[in-house]
Amino acid sequence: MLAVRLRPSESVPLVRLGSAYGGWWVPESLLRKDVVAYCAGAGEDITFDLALLEHGLRVTTFDPTPRAIAYVSAVAPSSPAYRFEPVGWWDSTTELRFYAPQNAAHVSHSAVNLQGTQDFFTAPVETVHAIAQRLGDEQVHLIKMDVEGAEYRVIKSLLESGPLPDVLCVEFDQPAPVGRTVAASRSLAGVGYELVRLEGFNATFVRARRA
């Protein structure tokens, strides 16, 4: 249904990085030294993040989930170009409850209680704008977010306060009304983003350079 409502242009050369589960499509032109990438939602697969790092990007991974923190601690490279931040993304700086998935084998928790469960942990959240200021990143070229239903609030925050990256990769987590996803995509189109790839519910947008 989503593919029917959103038709990617595939107007730029793309390459898929990462595992079959955790990989994403990004423009080949993005893969160059010192590009800044923010990747929210580590779970237990940061193969995409590490592939970006191997191409010379400076990568920061974000996830407040205890299992994800333990996983990243075990596999994270010792590199000055890689950072991990155990915080969530939201449209304000606060603390939130993150609710467990219905399947306990899954790692991802949701601040919007996507699956209507009772168990939760509490963790800090920030806007991407506040994070970039805190980390001293004047420009963020790539943002990838798999934030379990919080993507709509985060997209709205990006549109209001920035940063607006050259490439935006978003998983539109389910269940969600198709119309809400389409509306978010149209809001992105309004500031110059073009949908260039759709793989399941993973969307890659590229922003046209503004004069």
Side-chain angles (χ1 to χ4, degrees):
M1 176 65 75
L2 185 60
V4 173
R5 299 287 297 274
L6 296 175
R7 298 185 181 278
S9 67
E10 300 192 11
S11 59
V12 297
L14 301 171
V15 60
R16 194 180 192 280
L17 302 178
S19 68
Y21 173 77
W24 289 81
W25 291 92
V26 296
E28 292 179 353
S29 60
L30 184 78
L31 304 178
R32 60 188 190 275
K33 187 176 180 181
D34 291 333
V35 165
V36 174
Y38 280 9
C39 298
E44 292 176 325
D45 187 333
I46 60 168
T47 53
F48 175 70
D49 313 42
L50 297 181
L52 294 174
L53 186 67
E54 289 176 359
H55 281 87
L57 283 73
R58 293 191 288 122
V59 180
T60 307
T61 301
F62 301 83
D63 201 314
T65 310
R67 270 175 59 185
I69 293 170
Y71 163 77
V72 175
S73 296
V75 303
S78 177
S79 168
Y82 182 81
R83 298 175 295 195
F84 176 68
E85 291 280 320
V87 300
W89 287 8
W90 196 240
D91 58 3
S92 62
T93 297
T94 184
E95 285 195 350
L96 293 177
R97 293 179 174 182
F98 285 80
Y99 288 87
Q102 290 182 359
N103 186 340
H106 295 167
V107 62
S108 300
H109 286 56
S110 171
V112 300
N113 202 2
L114 199 61
Q115 299 184 23
T117 59
Q118 298 297 318
D119 293 338
F120 64 87
F121 66 86
T122 302
V125 293
E126 297 180 65
T127 67
V128 184
H129 176 76
I131 289 168
Q133 287 193 319
R134 175 169 62 81
L135 296 181
D137 292 316
E138 295 183 2
Q139 185 174 3
V140 181
H141 304 86
L142 166 67
I143 285 176
K144 181 230 85 176
M145 68 174 95
D146 179 0
V147 289
E148 302 301 316
E151 57 271 14
Y152 300 100
R153 297 183 73 135
V154 175
I155 288 171
K156 185 173 183 291
S157 176
L158 292 175
L159 294 174
E160 290 175 349
S161 304
L164 295 177
D166 299 330
V167 178
L168 178 64
C169 298
V170 183
E171 179 172 16
F172 291 104
D173 286 288
Q174 300 306 301
V178 173
R180 190 179 189 191
T181 304
V182 172
S185 300
R186 288 175 176 166
S187 295
L188 291 169
V191 294
Y193 282 100
E194 178 183 15
L195 177 65
V196 296
R197 186 80 182 200
L198 185 63
E199 182 179 79
F201 294 97
N202 289 359
T204 298
F205 299 88
V206 173
R207 189 170 190 240
R209 291 285 185 179
R210 298 296 181 94

